Amino acid sequence: LRLKDLEVAELGDSDVHVKMLAAPINPADINMIQGTYAILSPLPAVGGNEGVGEVLEVGRRVGALKPGDWVIPAGAGVGTWRTQGVFPEETLLKVPSDIPVLCAATLSVNPCTAYRMLTDFETLAPGDSVIQNAANSGVGQAVIQIAKAFGLKTVNVVRDRPDLPKLVERLMALGADHVVTEEMLRKPEMKDIFKSIPKPRLALNCVGGKSTMEMLRHLQPKGTLVTYGGMAKQPVMVPVSAFIFRDLRLRGFWMTQWRKEHAQDQESLAGMMDALCQLIRRGQLTAPACTEVPLQDYKAALEASMKPFTSSKQVLLL
């Protein structure tokens, strides 16, 4: 990865010239650079799949955007770690400029993933509960807040760590109902949690391995486990009894795929973005804990983003 000065491309009739404002570093960005992600940009490429920018100029055939509008990427692979860029209009989505810049910069991946997983797999009603691992991740923090806004209860699993009490306090402040460690999932005390809230019908898995198997134990019969990440780099192991006697469902979710499948369904996309922006305006959905880093310090930001037990998202200021 190198920082380079490039000429800004010429503005075509259907293009938009954008000044980038802020762009986060997500695990998928790192995977793309490592060459291990499901989609890879042809090299040489600009890193970053998420961020927010301000429109400077538009081509003469551009109808939906004007200078001053805020935009975010409509899909993956546009390359957001840059100060300016010229993008085809269809690769951008307009977002309101009255929401905080860090909320806009981190809107298109994690909150959308959380929203879809909470609405697409189980029909949940206020009072129902959800269990998730990696609860301090960007998606995890969004799940806690969106679930609370929907009236759902959350059981949030995190890895044990030196500053555990501080993390528990932060997640509870976001609206978590219960925060437990992976070790606690195996203990009888879990029964006490399910005296006050129903057993979950939905489990969200970003880890894999043993953590997932322990979560499965607490799912209601006919419940659904949705896997959207594999941080432990271990397979999801499921006892045969979970399928036969409890008829559990295992599903997968990838936001990029959802966008591809709904490319012609502007109503679904607009409805989701509108719902999320309303939650942001009402203070019910905030950006994850962020560390703001100038673009020239990108190396330090990348290193920090790959450290274990990182609870703050590195955001490049452009």
Side-chain angles (χ1 to χ4, degrees), residues 13-73:
D13 288 350
S14 303
D15 290 341
V16 181
H17 182 191
V18 177
K19 176 189 185 300
M20 293 302 297
L21 302 173
I25 298 174
N26 290 320
D29 303 328
I30 305 287
N31 296 151
M32 281 179 86
I33 293 163
Q34 291 166 333
T36 59
Y37 202 57
I39 50 168
L40 300 174
S41 301
L43 298 173
V46 177
N49 289 293
E50 192 180 30
V52 64
E54 182 184 334
V55 174
L56 294 178
E57 194 184 350
V58 299
R60 63 190 178 89
R61 288 212 192 111
V62 173
L65 296 170
K66 62 184 188 306
D69 285 347
W70 277 16
V71 288
I72 62 173

Side-chain angles (χ1 to χ4, degrees), residues 158-170 179-181:
V158 296
R159 288 182 295 172
D160 201 2
R161 63 192 65 215
D163 61 345
L164 184 65
K166 198 186 286 182
L167 176 61
V168 171
E169 191 181 312
R170 197 155 61 76
V179 182
V180 299
T181 62

Side-chain angles (χ1 to χ4, degrees), residues 20-21 49 101 127 131 134 180 215 255 284 314:
M20 293 302 297
L21 302 173
N49 289 293
V101 71
I131 189 168
V180 299
M215 276 204 310
M255 194 63 220
Q284 292 176 295
Q314 302 291 309

Side-chain angles (χ1 to χ4, degrees), residues 160-238:
D160 201 2
R161 63 192 65 215
D163 61 345
L164 184 65
K166 198 186 286 182
L167 176 61
V168 171
E169 191 181 312
R170 197 155 61 76
L171 296 183
M172 296 295 271
L174 287 179
D177 294 282
H178 300 276
V179 182
V180 299
T181 62
E182 291 183 345
E183 292 72 29
M184 253 187 86
L185 279 177
R186 296 189 269 283
K187 295 191 173 163
E189 293 93 284
M190 287 300 291
K191 286 181 184 156
D192 295 336
I193 287 178
F194 297 119
K195 281 177 188 165
S196 62
I197 64 171
K199 282 204 158 197
R201 295 220 314 277
L202 180 67
L204 306 177
N205 166 47
C206 181
V207 178
K210 201 182 279 184
S211 168
T212 312
M213 198 157 77
E214 299 298 346
M215 276 204 310
L216 277 176
R217 288 183 185 186
H218 303 293
L219 262 189
Q220 276 188 39
K222 295 188 183 294
T224 304
L225 171 90
V226 182
T227 292
Y228 68 98
M231 284 159 55
K233 296 185 169 59
Q234 291 166 358
V236 172
M237 309 283 277
V238 183

